[in-house]
Amino acid sequence: MMELLEAIKARAQGLETELVAWRREFHQHPELSHQEERTGETVAAYLRDWGLTVTTGIAGHGVLGVLKGGRPGRAVAWRADMDALPIAEKLNLPWRSQVEGVMHACGHDFHLAIALGAARLLSSLQDRLAGHYVFIFQPAEEGPPVGDSGAKGMVAAGVLDNPKVEAVCALHVAPNLDVGHIRYGPGVVMAGADRIILTVTGKSAHGATPHRGVDPILVTAQVLNHIQGFLAQKIDTRSPKVLTFGRIQGGNRFNILADEVTLDGSLRYLQESVRQEVLNGLRQQFAGLSQATGAEIKLTVEPLFPMLKNDPDLTDQAVQILLTLLGQKRLKLLHPAMGSEDFPYFAARAPGFYFFLGVRTPGGRGQALHSPTFNPDEAALPYGLTAAAGLLACLAEPEFPALAPAGPVPHEEDLGTM
Ligand SMILES: [Zn+2]
Ligand SMILES: [Zn+2]
């Protein structure tokens, strides 16, 4: 196995030029969620050239490529997301986005290049490999308001079923972690998220005679105070949770009391029990407020993404592989992040391992994901490819190979913006 891993490391370095070219090609032609037609076609053409069995048009523009190793083994999957964001790029690099107002600002161009690189690299070693390699290129990770989650759609279409995938892995670029470093967690990695819609219905009246109506704007101010007071002091302070509103709407004229106010926000949590406690508690708070004010307060909960949890046994194996490939110095344990992801739909159907790959130039200042100046360092690409191809090759072996035992991995500072 060590010989195979050495070959993977060497070939990953050898593919650096291609990785950069692919990344820039995708960066120049970003497509929004559920519009990834060109991206999907580009990916499918490469995979076919390299001899993979390719299926297109899954859950929209999703693409599946399957590579068969020369020996019997297990089926393993790698997932890359393909969509970009409605952001106007502010950098003026030669490979800047050529689509007005659309940008790969979440690094999915990196994810695409790394996944293509893994397909290319492993196809060149096909005879020496065990098992099956399933490459999943999914549409629409970025989520609402644009349609349903791409991961959900691809899982429903059966991408993990034939062959039956026994481990599914993915990475996300991390702008506040140095190039080629990796952060991982053995349990919860990212928060579960619900969209929370609150409708406060009062009774319209002249602005001069509020006593003849019920002012939903005043009630909304109380609602917001109650919510944050409740979260701060009624939920165990050791349990992470956050509820914020990004949109508020109501009223139509300065001297007429509104009849309704709508608040649109998101709740994030790291434990299912905390989520239930928050939702039940809020309903109680609103019932009391409603009685006191005469306004009707309706809470609507739309589940967005489940929590992202790594499989502990798979994580243990993955860490041994990553330590062997990249060395102790590059690996750190992470604190769970309050951001969310649709990878959990895959991880619900097969043991999953999701980790972060640093893309910050050493000594530089990392730009946040989803920012118009996001500029990940391309030197990270070969590291991402080494990790992806090495993980897949080892995990596809019929018996997990003997590797260097994993020593203690230190905790590092928070991922911050994730
Ligand atoms: Zn994103
Ligand atoms: Zn992303």
Side-chain angles (χ1 to χ4, degrees), residues 30-340:
E31 292 170 304
L32 293 172
S33 305
H34 284 307
Q35 298 175 24
E36 310 88 342
E37 194 177 347
R38 184 187 191 280
T39 307
E41 279 169 9
T42 307
V43 164
Y46 279 121
L47 297 179
R48 280 192 195 103
D49 274 357
W50 303 330
L52 278 78
T53 308
V54 177
T55 314
T56 57
I58 310 169
H61 300 293
V63 177
L64 194 71
V66 181
L67 176 74
K68 194 168 174 283
R71 294 180 283 122
R74 308 193 322 148
V76 293
W78 183 266
R79 173 275 212 158
D81 36 16
M82 303 194 287
D83 52 336
L85 289 157
I87 293 175
E89 181 158 23
K90 281 207 182 133
L91 294 173
N92 217 347
L93 297 163
W95 55 89
R96 84 187 298 272
S97 167
Q98 291 177 7
V99 185
E100 198 56 41
V102 184
M103 177 187 175
H104 268 297
C106 200
H108 299 186
D109 49 347
F110 268 55
H111 303 171
L112 280 157
I114 288 167
L116 273 185
R120 177 75 197 102
L121 194 160
L122 293 176
S123 68
S124 76
L125 290 169
Q126 192 167 12
D127 297 343
R128 295 168 64 181
L129 299 175
H132 283 86
Y133 300 82
V134 177
F135 293 92
I136 300 168
F137 292 86
Q138 79 154 78
E141 186 280 326
E142 294 290 355
V146 200
D148 210 356
S149 141
K152 205 173 170 182
M154 291 206 75
V155 170
V159 298
L160 297 178
D161 300 337
N162 186 29
K164 178 95 188 108
V165 168
E166 292 181 67
V168 55
C169 303
L171 63 76
H172 203 294
V173 297
N176 44 4
L177 180 63
D178 278 353
V179 158
H181 286 245
I182 281 174
R183 281 213 182 97
Y184 76 95
V188 176
V189 174
M190 290 181 102
D194 293 325
R195 183 174 176 184
I196 300 289
I197 300 165
L198 279 183
T199 315
V200 181
T201 310
K203 185 165 169 260
S204 191
H206 195 293
T209 57
H211 59 287
R212 295 191 198 282
V214 175
D215 180 0
I217 289 181
L218 183 61
V219 177
T220 297
Q222 295 173 329
V223 164
L224 290 171
N225 276 322
H226 270 72
I227 290 174
Q228 297 309 333
F230 168 78
L231 293 177
Q233 302 200 345
K234 296 293 177 198
I235 304 286
D236 190 326
T237 51
R238 294 165 299 176
S239 306
K241 74 273 155 190
V242 60
L243 171 53
T244 49
F245 292 96
R247 201 172 66 89
I248 177 165
Q249 202 167 28
N252 50 30
R253 205 185 133 91
F254 75 99
N255 62 355
I256 305 174
L257 294 193
D259 52 2
E260 194 173 275
V261 173
T262 313
L263 294 114
D264 200 352
S266 67
L267 168 68
R268 290 149 196 282
Y269 54 89
L270 300 178
Q271 283 164 274
E272 181 58 33
S273 59
V274 171
R275 174 202 202 185
Q276 291 310 327
E277 203 184 338
V278 169
L279 293 176
N280 293 338
L282 287 180
R283 285 195 184 94
Q284 268 175 21
Q285 297 279 318
F286 298 157
L289 255 181
S290 189
Q291 212 171 24
T293 61
E296 189 196 319
I297 305 167
K298 192 173 144 225
L299 168 66
T300 309
V301 182
E302 290 177 10
L304 288 179
F305 298 132
M307 274 177 288
L308 197 171
K309 277 191 216 162
N310 278 344
D311 180 86
D313 295 336
L314 177 59
T315 303
D316 193 56
Q317 296 181 336
V319 171
Q320 291 183 48
I321 300 164
L322 293 173
L323 280 170
T324 307
L325 283 166
L326 301 172
Q328 191 103 23
K329 218 177 67 202
R330 294 194 175 272
L331 235 60
K332 294 283 187 294
L333 268 173
L334 63 78
H335 299 280
M338 296 311 277
S340 50

